[in-house]
Amino acid sequence: MTFGDQPAYLRVASDLREKIANGSLPPHARLPSQARIREEYGVSDTVALEARKVLMAEGLVEGRSGSGTYVRERPVPRRIARSGNRPPAGANPFRQEQTEEGARGTWESNSEQEPASALVAARLGIEPGERVMRTRYVYRDAGEPMMLSTSWEPLAVTGRSPVMLPEEGPLGGCGVVERMAAIDVVVDNVVEEVGARPGLAEELLALGGVPGHVVMVVERTYFASGRAVETADVVVPADRYRIAYHLPVR
């Protein structure tokens, strides 16, 4: 096999990846051994090992102790809906949007006060160390973890008010826009930036992923007259879900 200018291990990994994609190596099939790769492609043991490492890092194969390396079953990605439409009064935005996609969404949450880190403070436009309400969420679809979220709200805005705890009180679970409106704060803009990175160990543990899996991260911030009133990191496993935006045309 001619490898050209590309490193040999990447060319071997590319060929094996193509076999996985076209079904020549179907889910649960054993990946050719290191010796077999070496012989079939005419490469060294080091190249064969590095090619296998690439496929493992991409989440295409998994090692089984004492058995070998096998092709992972690839899930068909489902959609996580993001919408610019405001749900009816009293409705949770997550539940409303996922119902439209046919998901059966539930969630768990935990809120605690903490001093704002430098990063959170910069996103909220406050001084580091100022008190914020941090809420962590685990969202599930039919019991399967599908999304994590951590939000921060400045207590200078919500402190000592009925909406200080996002998931408790008369408007618990109603979403940022409606909760803020209850204390005469009119949310008029939201910014979302989407990126990707390897998942952190604790994120992948909560989402049921394996080390090396990539996650999508949505950095969301709500504004009222230019003032940030909530910011959040939404983490989604990239191999199982796609983020679909439903944006109104004005």
Side-chain angles (χ1 to χ4, degrees):
M1 176 177 290
T2 301
F3 288 93
D5 296 331
Q6 191 176 43
Y9 76 96
L10 291 180
R11 293 295 299 272
V12 173
S14 178
D15 191 68
L16 291 171
R17 187 188 301 113
E18 176 61 25
K19 291 179 178 179
I20 293 172
N22 66 26
S24 299
L25 285 171
H28 310 296
R30 186 173 180 176
L31 196 71
S33 67
Q34 188 167 314
R36 177 73 179 274
I37 292 174
R38 182 190 64 216
E39 294 171 4
E40 181 176 345
Y41 293 94
V43 296
S44 67
D45 281 332
T46 300
V47 168
L49 178 60
E50 290 301 314
R52 288 157 61 93
K53 286 182 178 179
V54 168
L55 298 179
M56 292 188 74
E58 293 175 350
L60 295 175
V61 300
E62 60 184 356
R64 299 179 187 173
S65 180
S67 179
T69 304
Y70 292 80
V71 177
R72 293 182 66 243
E73 186 163 3
R74 302 287 289 174
V76 177
R78 297 194 57 178
R79 299 173 73 190
I80 289 182
R82 309 288 295 169
S83 175
N85 297 320
R86 182 176 174 180
N92 177 275
F94 168 75
R95 180 173 288 168
Q96 173 79 11
E97 293 174 353
Q98 304 319 310
T99 296
E100 293 172 0
E101 294 296 326
R104 300 185 295 279
T106 59
W107 69 96
E108 306 155 10
S109 66
N110 174 264
S111 296
E112 292 184 0
Q113 295 187 35
E114 67 179 20
S117 67
L119 179 60
V120 169
R123 287 166 56 173
L124 288 173
I126 61 178
E127 291 296 320
E130 285 192 35
R131 304 297 291 178
V132 295
M133 183 65 70
R134 185 258 298 143
T135 303
R136 292 195 174 106
Y137 297 86
V138 179
Y139 294 94
R140 301 181 186 275
D141 172 12
E144 176 187 345
M146 63 183 293
M147 182 169 66
L148 306 176
S149 177
T150 304
S151 70
W152 298 269
E153 296 179 354
L155 287 173
V157 175
T158 61
R160 299 182 183 277
S161 78
V163 300
M164 185 173 72
L165 292 168
E167 296 296 321
E168 297 182 24
L171 292 176
C174 287
V176 175
V177 175
E178 188 169 349
R179 289 176 47 251
M180 292 296 168
I183 56 173
D184 298 323
V185 175
V186 179
V187 174
D188 53 19
N189 191 23
V190 57
V191 175
E192 293 195 350
E193 296 184 8
V194 183
R197 59 168 170 75
L200 304 178
E202 57 268 27
E203 293 170 341
L204 296 175
L205 180 64
L207 291 169
V210 299
H213 273 193
V214 172
V215 295
M216 293 176 286
V217 181
V218 180
E219 293 186 5
R220 180 197 68 206
T221 304
Y222 282 102
F223 295 89
S225 299
R227 180 185 187 182
V229 296
E230 189 256 21
T231 193
D233 286 339
V234 180
V235 178
V236 180
D239 64 328
R240 284 183 278 152
Y241 291 93
R242 297 290 182 267
I243 300 176
Y245 282 86
H246 300 256
L247 305 176
V249 176
R250 301 186 184 280

